[in-house]
Amino acid sequence: MSNDWQANTRAIHAGTRRSQYGEVSEAIFLTQGFVYDTAEHAEARFLESGPDEFIYARYGNPTVKMFEDRIASLEGAEDAFATASGMAAVSGALTSMLRAGDHVVSARALFGSCLYVLEEILTRYGVNVTFVDGTDLAAWEAAMTPATKAVFFESVANPTLEVIDIEAVSRLAHAQGALVLVDNVFATPVFSDAIAQGADVVIYSATKHIDGQGRALGGVILGTRDFIRGTVEPYMKHTGGSMSPFNAWVMLKGLETMSLRVRAQAASALDVAEALEGHAGLNRVIYPGLAAHAQHDLVKRQMGQGGTVLSLDIKGGKDAAFKFLNAIQIGVISNNLGDAKTILTHPATTTHQRLPQDQKDVLGITPGLVRISIGLEDAADLKADILQALQAI
Ligand SMILES: *Cc1c(COP(=O)(O)O)cnc(C)c1O
C-alpha cells in the first residue's frame, strides 16, 4: 500500500489482508470469536491487543477491519470505526464524546433520525442542543459558546439540498475549541474532501452510495486515531453497534465500484436536472450542480459536482406530486438513495411525515416536493420517463 496511490487505486487495494490461502477477493470472516494458542496468550490479548489481533467481533473482525482501513484511506482519515448502520455511526460519534452539561450546535435541516438523536436523546442526558440555519454563518457564530463541544451538520441537507460550508463552519467551531462532525452522505466519499476542509469527524451511512445496490445496512465514523480508538471504539464495542463481517464484505466490494457508479449517477443527475429546468409543471428544480443553485460557487469549491440526488417542487401540491410518482415507470417509490435503481421519495408524507407543518415550512419541504436519487439506468430513458410523468399530471 503506497501513500502515493490515487483514490481509484486505494478503493481497490487499500486495507487488504490476505489469509494463508492467498485469496483474490477479500475473505468473509464470519466468526464471532478468535482462538488463543494458550491461556497466557488469551490473558495477554485482553491486557492489550495489538493491531492484528482480534478478540470478539463486536470489538473488531478482519473483514470489518479491511473495510475500515480502505474507507479511511479513501477519505484521508487516520482511522475509522465501522457500524451496524448510518444511525449507529451518527449516534455513536455524538454520544461517545458528549456528557451532561456539554453544548452542541447543529444545523436544523437534518435526516429525521439524526434530528431525533439530537433533539430527543442527547437532551435526555443533559446535553444542550441549539439548532441553526446551517447556511447562515452568523447564526453558527452566535450560537457557539465556550461550552460548545461539537457542531453537527449534513454537508448537503436532505431533501432541500442546501450546502453547508465545511471550511467556514469549521473555522468558527475550532475558534471555540469544538469538534466538527459532518454527516457527509449526500456529498458521498467520491466528492468529499471534508477532512482537508476542516471536519474533525466524517460520518457515512454506508447503506447509501458505498453499498450502492440497496442490499445491506452499514455506517462508518472517520477521524483521528485518538478520536476513533480512544473515544468511539470503547463506546461502540461495549454498546454493540458494530458492523457485521458479512455487511463489511458487501461494503468492501461496494467501494471497488463506488467511484464509477457515483460519477455516472452524478452525470445523469446533472443531465436530468438541466432537462427539467424551466419546465412549466415545476416551481423549482433543486440540484447543487446547476448554475442556478443559490450556492453553486460553494458547491464547486467543496464538492466539485452536484451529487446524485435532485429535488423537484411540482406545481399543484401533494395531489400533483402523487400523480407524478404513480405515473413513473422506471424509478421506484422508496426511501433509500445512492442506489443503482432510481428512487423517488415524497418527503412530506414519508421521511419527514412527523415534522410539524411549521418546521416543514422553515425547511422548504413543500407538499409538491419530490426527491429523486438518480440511478444507473440510461439517462435518456430517465429523462423521457420523468417528462411523461409530469405530462400525466
Ligand atoms: C440514510 C441516512 C442516515 C442513516 O443511515 P442508515 O444507514 O439508514 O442508518 C443518516 N444520515 C443521512 C444524511 C442519511 O441519508
Side-chain angles (χ1 to χ4, degrees):
M1 165 72 200
S2 160
N3 286 330
D4 299 336
W5 288 347
Q6 299 298 309
N8 286 342
T9 309
R10 284 181 273 135
I12 310 293
H13 292 290
T16 301
R17 291 159 176 253
R18 291 209 167 82
S19 78
Q20 70 272 34
Y21 300 114
E23 64 281 353
V24 172
S25 175
E26 294 76 358
I28 312 177
F29 290 93
L30 269 183
T31 179
Q32 116 301 336
F34 302 84
V35 174
Y36 315 106
D37 294 338
T38 62
E40 288 78 9
H41 189 195
E43 181 187 34
R45 270 207 214 170
F46 269 78
L47 276 175
E48 194 177 0
S49 65
D52 290 320
E53 294 178 322
F54 298 96
I55 294 173
Y56 193 64
R58 177 152 44 73
Y59 293 24
N61 168 287
T63 313
V64 176
K65 187 79 179 145
M66 284 192 261
F67 169 67
E68 291 171 342
D69 289 349
R70 188 168 296 175
I71 182 78
S73 168
L74 270 183
E75 192 70 30
E78 283 179 14
D79 213 337
F81 193 92
T83 58
S85 67
M87 284 321 301
V90 170
S91 62
L94 288 164
T95 314
S96 64
M97 68 163 289
L98 294 169
R99 59 199 64 235
D102 286 350
H103 178 236
V104 178
V105 183
S106 170
R108 189 179 290 117
L110 293 177
F111 181 70
S113 299
C114 294
L115 187 64
Y116 186 84
V117 167
L118 284 148
E119 202 168 37
E120 305 288 338
I121 299 181
L122 292 180
T123 52
R124 209 184 282 168
Y125 296 100
V127 173
N128 304 304
V129 184
T130 305
F131 292 99
V132 297
D133 172 352
T135 62
D136 182 350
L137 291 176
W140 282 106
E141 186 164 25
M144 289 179 203
T145 74
T148 307
K149 290 291 181 301
V151 309
F152 179 82
F153 57 90
E154 294 171 14
S155 54
V156 182
N158 172 31
T160 48
L161 309 177
E162 281 166 351
V163 181
I164 294 180
D165 189 333
I166 296 174
E167 208 158 15
V169 174
S170 298
R171 208 177 307 120
L172 295 172
H174 291 158
Q176 292 283 7
L179 287 189
V180 177
L181 288 79
V182 179
D183 178 335
N184 217 23
V185 165
F186 279 65
T188 84
V190 178
F191 303 136
S192 168
D193 201 13
I195 287 179
Q197 288 157 354
D200 299 292
V201 180
V202 179
I203 298 164
Y204 290 105
S205 162
T207 315
K208 311 295 165 53
H209 304 83
I210 295 176
D211 173 8
Q213 291 164 78
R215 299 164 295 192
L217 284 173
V220 65
I221 306 167
L222 299 121
T224 62
R225 185 145 299 124
D226 256 14
F227 184 78
I228 297 300
R229 296 301 152 197
T231 301
V232 170
E233 183 189 294
Y235 177 87
M236 293 306 301
K237 77 182 188 187
H238 293 303
T239 56
S242 309
M243 181 179 272
S244 85
F246 181 80
N247 285 10
W249 179 80
V250 172
M251 300 309 174
L252 268 170
K253 302 319 272 181
L255 285 181
E256 292 183 352
T257 57
M258 177 177 65
S259 171
L260 280 175
R261 287 185 280 104
V262 167
R263 286 179 197 284
Q265 287 167 259
S268 291
L270 177 61
D271 194 0
V272 170
E274 282 176 346
L276 296 175
E277 249 188 327
H279 188 287
L282 299 172
N283 290 321
R284 214 148 67 102
V285 178
I286 311 171
Y287 179 64
L290 285 177
H293 190 277
Q295 300 160 292
H296 189 63
D297 288 343
L298 172 61
V299 173
K300 284 264 166 211
R301 183 154 32 89
Q302 187 161 300
M303 297 159 56
Q305 313 205 20
T308 65
V309 180
L310 58 117
S311 292
L312 305 179
D313 190 5
I314 295 175
K315 284 184 186 164
K318 178 182 164 187
D319 252 21
F322 274 28
K323 280 192 185 127
F324 169 75
L325 286 166
N326 292 336
I328 286 284
Q329 292 174 356
I330 298 174
V332 296
I333 302 171
S334 186
N335 32 254
N336 192 18
L337 61 96
D339 198 285
K341 296 182 174 69
T342 291
I343 293 177
L344 297 95
T345 310
H346 187 247
T349 55
T350 61
T351 52
H352 293 71
Q353 187 188 121
R354 276 171 309 176
L355 269 192
Q357 189 57 47
D358 61 320
Q359 290 273 339
K360 285 182 192 161
D361 294 344
V362 168
L363 296 177
I365 302 170
T366 59
L369 196 74
V370 172
R371 187 187 80 188
I372 309 181
S373 168
I374 296 291
L376 286 170
E377 302 94 337
D378 188 276
D381 287 345
L382 291 177
K383 279 188 283 188
D385 190 26
I386 291 168
L387 288 170
Q388 71 75 27
L390 285 172
Q391 201 62 40
I393 300 169

